[in-house]
Amino acid sequence: TKRSGSTLVFSYVHNDINNKNKRILYTANIGDSRAIVIYRNPNISWVLSTKQLNVEHSPKVEAEVERIYKNGGYVDNRGYVSHSATPYGINMTRSLGDDDIHFNNIVSSDPDIMKYEITPQDICIVHGTDGIWDMMDNSEVAAIVSNNLPDLKQAAIDIVQECETRWRTYAGRVDDITITIFALKDDLIEG
């Protein structure tokens, strides 16, 4: 039987709730945003590394495109997902809204659910929309966070400002640029 994304998340969380010695993070992703964990590399303490927690749902992902075509949809030459019953399309393969193209699960609302055990080396979790990740890779975001530690608010401001500048320079417009940085260390949380 098919279960909704929220049912899956709650069943995963329920299975781990009795294990109080672990800090478990669940991500349920629908769309073209990305979440990463920034951590201190135990072999080189001054270098911050990243672990990506999800894959964006875009027409660049082969498995997503296969699902779209299997369900009667298509990806046009601009990278927009659609179907013949609507003139609309979006540049992602999963979303919560966009009802016109959820027809026949062409654009899906099923989340990818990832489980991550937080370690003592983990510093923060960064979640950003595609407007961030289209302009910066994971390591560049980690470098800006590193340069601003312990001020994660300033790191977020610097990332957004740099992405906005790049969008205006390279595209002549600005895409959605939203970022959150969640501290995993008590000394990084403002009192």
Side-chain angles (χ1 to χ4, degrees):
T1 63
K2 185 174 181 197
R3 297 191 295 179
S4 72
S6 61
T7 302
L8 286 171
V9 171
F10 289 121
S11 67
Y12 283 118
V13 172
H14 177 72
N15 290 338
D16 282 328
I17 207 142
N18 292 327
N19 190 346
K20 294 179 173 73
N21 295 327
K22 292 183 180 180
R23 293 172 61 193
I24 306 293
L25 170 71
Y26 291 91
T27 59
N29 183 53
I30 303 171
D32 55 0
S33 295
R34 182 185 309 166
I36 64 172
V37 171
I38 297 178
Y39 65 94
R40 194 163 303 284
N41 187 324
N43 299 318
I44 312 169
S45 64
W46 51 272
V47 173
L48 295 185
S49 299
T50 65
K51 175 173 176 47
Q52 191 165 316
L53 297 175
N54 68 291
V55 174
E56 294 97 321
H57 296 128
S58 81
K60 297 174 186 170
V61 178
E62 187 176 326
E64 292 290 295
V65 172
E66 288 174 11
R67 180 185 51 74
I68 289 163
Y69 279 96
K70 179 181 165 195
N71 292 336
Y74 63 90
V75 178
D76 71 16
N77 59 357
R78 300 172 303 150
Y80 280 77
V81 178
S82 196
H83 59 84
S84 61
T86 182
Y88 306 107
I90 60 172
N91 198 16
M92 68 181 88
T93 59
R94 299 189 196 196
S95 75
L96 289 175
D98 308 298
D99 289 342
D100 286 346
I101 52 179
H102 275 269
F103 172 79
N104 206 31
N105 206 33
I106 291 167
V107 171
S108 174
S109 59
D110 293 334
D112 281 334
I113 300 169
M114 306 295 278
K115 175 181 173 181
Y116 178 76
E117 186 175 335
I118 298 170
T119 71
Q121 290 80 31
D122 295 336
I123 294 170
C124 62
I125 299 164
V126 177
H127 176 262
T129 59
D130 62 325
I132 299 288
W133 306 113
D134 287 348
M135 292 295 140
M136 289 188 180
D137 64 19
N138 297 349
S139 61
E140 189 172 9
V141 168
I144 293 171
V145 167
S146 180
N147 290 339
N148 282 284
L149 284 175
D151 191 347
L152 297 179
K153 180 178 179 181
Q154 188 59 52
I157 290 168
D158 289 355
I159 291 166
V160 166
Q161 287 177 341
E162 180 59 26
C163 286
E164 181 179 359
T165 298
R166 291 179 188 185
W167 272 104
R168 290 188 192 290
T169 302
Y170 302 123
R173 64 178 184 85
V174 178
D175 196 8
D176 59 321
I177 302 173
T178 304
I179 190 168
T180 59
I181 304 178
F182 181 79
L184 296 171
K185 300 271 188 202
D186 289 340
D187 57 345
L188 296 176
I189 300 171
E190 292 181 13

